[in-house]
Amino acid sequence: MLPISLSITIDRADSRTLPVQLADRIRSAIDDGELQPDSRLPSTRALSVDLGIARAVVEKAYEQLVAEGWLDPRRGSGNYVRRIPRAGRSVAVSPSAQAPPRTPPRISLRPGIPWTPPSASDAWKRAWRDVGSTPPPADYPDSAGTLELRTRVAELLRRARGLHTTPASIVITTGSIHGLDLALGALSVAESIEHVLALENPGYKSAAALATHRGWSVHDVSVDGAGLIVEQLGSAPPRTPAVYVTPSHQYPTGAFMPIGRRRALADWARDNDSMIIEDDYDSEFRYGAAPLPTVAELAPDRTVYLGTVSKTLGAGIRLGWMVAPRSMVDRISATRRAIGDLPSVPVQQAMTSMLRDGEWDRAVRTARRLYRTRDRMVAAALARFGELRGVGAGLHTVLVLDSDAARAVATSCATKGVDVPTLEHSTRSPTARGGIVVGYGSVTDDELDYAISILVEALEAALLS
């Protein structure tokens, strides 16, 4: 039973879902001091019986509160209230002194922006305390990154992605685009090649912008429900040195490249003396089957593998890694030393601490629980309107639509304060199909519920009326 001072009322006429109502009430009780730190909450079964609701409702509410950092799940013991600073209380003012009402903030369903668990923030603080206990680095750092971090990254890739590599083949970067820049720089020294980067269309516009900035031209390759269409690489210039792909969760369509097509891509690279630049930007988040083998594992001599922490700890940290053939690593390291492009030692030490202490894995597991729930909710709401891509992975789902319908739906949502990107935003040349992209990483549960209700209304008006 709940503490005698705490009562919970479930209102089935309330516009909020039952899990949201329950989570809101417990959250308020913790903030108001009705539930004290280290208090044990009832089991999901006991509370569901007490309130006359389904056990799944209580489980979802608890999962949300655990994900937000309000509750501490203890194996074999239950859920306990975490010690959290009280929310500040505002001072009451007279109506005449109040500021004019603000325009409600817009809700953006832009993909690729993560939610960072509160527990990850705590772990990040602990990691920096570890960093602060060591003397500041006096010498210039290793241009490839510290050996300890590269060793930890090699271990992470082996157990999380089945990618077998060594510290000597790893370079620490500031993120995927930095890794792409380093790879193109290393390839640019060959005078016998065309400076052409084959790129998915729709695809990651920042990758195309980086290639253009480096003086490379971009060759668009279409994608379908299985990712980049390898056969279309035959239309690329004969000496195209590289192709940039996101095979585990194609950005932005969400397609998964199956093993047969991955092998075909590896064969194309070998036959054409080309490199595959594999951006594995959000592979930590799979909610069903385990991820497929990386292309880098299938063709290590022909692949540059890129990873990043931007989808787990946040884009502002600016840390990632690349795995490349040793000849490229040596060339990249020499160039970085020559121009002073050296990775920050303190940031590397903090990341090493998180990997060593298991905090990285805990942060990923916590975020994965939240994203799994949102992934299923979005899929359930949108499945009746057409083909969905990207379900079961990542931080976004795509609903394939006619381009005109996608624009109409996005426009309708925008008038009600919800920004829904279309695939056209990531398209450089005409494609056969369009669609809308539903990113669910950075919004709150209430914002997502509201945004999906607006989106469903717009879809019904555009497709079913």
Side-chain angles (χ1 to χ4, degrees):
M1 297 291 289
L2 285 168
I4 191 86
S5 60
L6 179 64
S7 63
I8 292 180
T9 301
I10 296 296
D11 183 0
R12 297 185 183 276
D14 195 312
S15 60
R16 297 172 299 164
T17 63
L18 298 185
V20 169
Q21 289 186 53
L22 180 56
D24 284 349
R25 179 66 184 98
I26 296 175
R27 198 182 292 112
S28 297
I30 295 172
D31 238 356
D32 293 340
E34 295 178 74
L35 284 174
Q36 294 296 313
D38 295 321
S39 298
R40 182 180 182 276
L41 268 66
S43 68
T44 56
R45 184 186 302 278
L47 187 54
S48 65
V49 172
D50 188 38
L51 298 178
I53 56 178
R55 186 178 181 183
V57 170
V58 182
E59 289 175 344
K60 184 175 181 181
Y62 278 12
E63 285 179 1
Q64 178 63 28
L65 293 169
V66 168
E68 293 178 7
W70 296 93
L71 300 182
D72 177 24
R74 301 178 188 175
R75 186 182 299 275
S77 181
N79 290 286
Y80 289 77
V81 176
R82 293 188 68 190
R83 190 170 298 277
I84 299 170
R86 294 280 183 87
R89 300 298 182 184
S90 58
V91 178
V93 296
S94 63
S96 61
Q98 292 178 356
R102 296 183 183 178
T103 303
R106 301 188 69 83
I107 298 173
S108 174
L109 298 185
R110 175 185 164 194
I113 305 176
W115 168 82
T116 302
S119 57
S121 299
D122 294 341
W124 187 243
K125 293 175 185 176
R126 288 193 294 273
W128 277 98
R129 283 197 292 270
D130 287 348
V131 174
S133 67
T134 61
D139 296 330
Y140 286 107
D142 188 326
S143 58
T146 66
L147 177 59
E148 187 176 4
L149 178 55
R150 288 185 284 126
T151 300
R152 295 286 177 182
V153 169
E155 293 170 354
L156 172 68
L157 294 175
R158 176 185 53 77
R159 59 184 169 78
R161 294 298 286 117
L163 176 55
H164 296 81
T165 187
T166 66
S169 296
I170 294 173
V171 174
I172 301 302
T173 70
T174 62
S176 294
I177 288 298
H178 184 217
L180 174 61
D181 187 36
L182 295 174
L184 295 185
L187 293 171
S188 294
V189 299
E191 297 179 357
S192 61
I193 64 168
E194 298 281 349
H195 287 173
V196 179
L197 178 65
L199 198 65
E200 301 160 322
N201 183 52
Y204 190 25
K205 278 196 167 181
S206 293
L210 183 278
T212 302
H213 177 73
R214 264 207 167 267
W216 287 49
S217 59
V218 173
H219 178 79
D220 289 339
V221 182
S222 298
V223 301
D224 59 15
L228 180 137
I229 303 173
V230 176
E231 292 80 3
Q232 291 195 9
L233 286 169
S235 65
R239 292 181 295 174
T240 296
V243 55
Y244 171 91
V245 292
T246 52
S248 293
H249 193 226
Q250 200 277 328
Y251 188 88
T253 69
F256 308 129
M257 182 180 284
I259 187 65
R261 190 171 289 192
R262 292 175 188 237
R263 287 176 174 169
L265 179 61
D267 290 342
W268 175 86
R270 293 189 184 98
D271 293 343
N272 291 273
D273 194 24
S274 299
M275 293 299 296
I276 302 162
I277 302 176
E278 177 183 12
D279 190 344
D280 207 25
Y281 67 99
D282 68 358
S283 64
E284 296 89 356
F285 302 116
R286 291 295 294 258
Y287 316 125
L292 288 171
T294 63
V295 178
E297 182 72 8
L298 300 174
D301 59 324
R302 285 290 158 193
T303 307
V304 174
Y305 174 93
L306 306 178
T308 178
V309 306
S310 66
K311 300 300 180 286
T312 48
L313 298 180
I317 292 176
R318 309 314 305 147
L319 190 140
W321 44 79
M322 64 187 300
V323 180
R326 284 294 305 276
S327 59
M328 283 190 70
V329 169
D330 293 342
R331 196 179 309 152
I332 288 168
S333 297
T335 300
R336 295 185 77 180
R337 281 194 299 272
I339 65 175
D341 175 20
L342 306 175
S344 165
V345 171
V347 173
Q348 293 182 82
Q349 289 173 329
M351 187 64 196
T352 300
S353 174
M354 293 196 70
L355 288 171
R356 180 193 65 226
D357 297 342
E359 298 291 0
W360 163 271
D361 297 270
R362 279 188 281 274
V364 168
R365 286 196 299 269
T366 301
R368 190 184 291 137
R369 285 195 295 267
L370 179 71
Y371 294 150
R372 179 189 294 115
T373 299
R374 293 180 175 182
D375 171 77
R376 292 172 179 171
M377 187 270 272
V378 170
L382 302 185
R384 63 191 175 105
F385 297 107
E387 178 190 355
L388 295 178
R389 292 182 183 172
V391 175
L395 284 69
H396 71 274
T397 298
V398 169
L399 173 62
V400 178
L401 296 172
D402 174 85
S403 294
D404 291 338
R407 281 193 296 270
V409 168
T411 300
S412 175
C413 290
T415 63
K416 298 179 180 178
V418 178
D419 296 325
V420 183
T422 67
L423 285 180
E424 282 185 324
H425 295 157
S426 301
T427 301
R428 295 176 303 280
S429 54
T431 58
R433 300 296 305 276
I436 56 173
V437 185
V438 182
Y440 48 76
S442 62
V443 292
T444 67
D445 278 354
D446 287 346
E447 288 173 337
L448 183 59
D449 285 342
Y450 174 76
I452 293 300
S453 69
I454 296 299
L455 178 55
V456 167
E457 289 178 7
L459 287 165
E460 288 175 341
L463 304 179
L464 304 182
S465 60

